Amino acid sequence: MVKIEKSKAERTKAFIIERSAALFNCKGYTDTSLADIMGATGLSKGCIYGNFENKEEIALAAFEYSFQKMSQQFEIQVSFAKTHRARIIAYAKVYEMFTKHHIETSRCLKLSTATEANNRRLKTITAGNLEKWQQKLQEIMEEGIAAGEFKKDAAVTQTAVSIISLLEGGLMIAQLTGDPLSMNFVLASIDILVSRLE
């Protein structure tokens, strides 16, 4: 397979996205300014706007970047799990890992964009990606039911929504308090929820 090298323009754009993603994750959409992006990238206003039309375009690309990075971690961790219960717990542990290793910048972009309702495009994408994660959790549970690991009348949708709410809320609390160990309580609660499926 031939590896295609990125052009200088593509590398610059990817660099802006990566550096901006950390800013938006930490400060949120509204509080991140063009000056912040210039400072994080070391690039001029002209260079940044030569690659993106405006801040919203940067934020959309940065959100997609963050979503893909976290989704990749979900896939990696879940692939090691041997049971459906373990797959759900592995999914939750990605949040724990993310929180403990990135407590200073762990304001989850999904959560912050969802609350910044004045930006309709970001809110729509945020809602869509959260829905994808909910569907993924539901698929794991439904496969668990089919395999006889979970009971047939398991509350799949309710459990999936509850798990995501706990994880997003736990991430917010860890950021606000500066205490990543608060996620331990979240994982314990999720373990109880999963037990009710069995």
Side-chain angles (χ1 to χ4, degrees):
M1 183 173 164
V2 179
K3 185 177 180 180
I4 301 173
E5 292 292 329
K6 289 183 178 179
S7 67
K8 183 179 178 181
E10 289 172 327
R11 291 196 302 272
T12 299
K13 192 166 187 175
F15 175 72
I16 294 170
I17 292 170
E18 183 178 349
R19 290 297 176 91
S20 298
L23 280 174
F24 287 119
N25 284 351
C26 182
K27 300 183 71 174
Y29 176 77
T30 301
D31 292 337
T32 298
S33 66
L34 177 61
D36 291 328
I37 296 171
M38 290 168 62
T41 60
L43 299 174
S44 67
K45 178 179 179 180
C47 182
I48 291 170
Y49 281 160
N51 287 278
F52 296 93
E53 185 178 337
N54 50 40
K55 187 179 87 168
E56 181 182 29
E57 292 299 324
I58 300 171
L60 290 167
F63 174 73
E64 190 58 33
Y65 170 84
S66 295
F67 176 77
Q68 291 301 327
K69 292 286 281 186
M70 207 161 181
S71 293
Q72 287 169 7
Q73 284 301 312
F74 287 146
E75 291 176 12
I76 291 169
Q77 296 302 318
V78 168
S79 69
F80 292 122
K82 301 195 181 299
T83 65
H84 294 89
R85 161 185 260 280
R87 288 173 69 190
I88 296 171
I89 299 302
Y91 187 100
K93 281 189 172 291
V94 171
Y95 269 79
E96 179 191 37
M97 178 178 65
F98 182 77
T99 304
K100 286 182 177 178
H101 290 91
H102 304 282
I103 187 62
E104 293 302 319
T105 57
S106 64
R107 179 179 176 185
C108 187
L109 190 56
K110 295 178 299 305
L111 183 63
S112 61
T113 54
T115 58
E116 296 183 52
N118 61 327
N119 191 295
R120 194 169 297 172
R121 290 179 70 190
L122 282 171
K123 184 178 180 183
T124 299
I125 292 175
T126 298
N129 284 328
L130 283 174
E131 185 178 349
K132 287 178 186 176
W133 283 351
Q134 179 186 328
Q135 289 173 348
K136 185 62 180 175
L137 280 171
Q138 289 178 194
E139 285 174 12
I140 294 172
M141 290 180 230
E142 287 163 358
E143 289 168 5
I145 292 171
E149 188 177 335
F150 299 143
K151 57 189 179 184
K152 291 182 179 179
D153 62 346
V156 171
T157 302
Q158 179 181 333
T159 304
V161 171
S162 297
I163 288 173
I164 290 174
S165 298
L166 281 165
L167 291 171
E168 289 286 353
L171 193 59
M172 180 186 67
I173 291 170
Q175 170 64 25
L176 291 173
T177 63
D179 181 12
L181 295 180
S182 60
M183 286 298 284
N184 292 342
F185 298 115
V186 170
L187 290 175
S189 297
I190 289 174
D191 192 66
I192 292 171
L193 285 174
V194 177
S195 296
R196 291 174 181 170
L197 298 172
E198 299 171 331

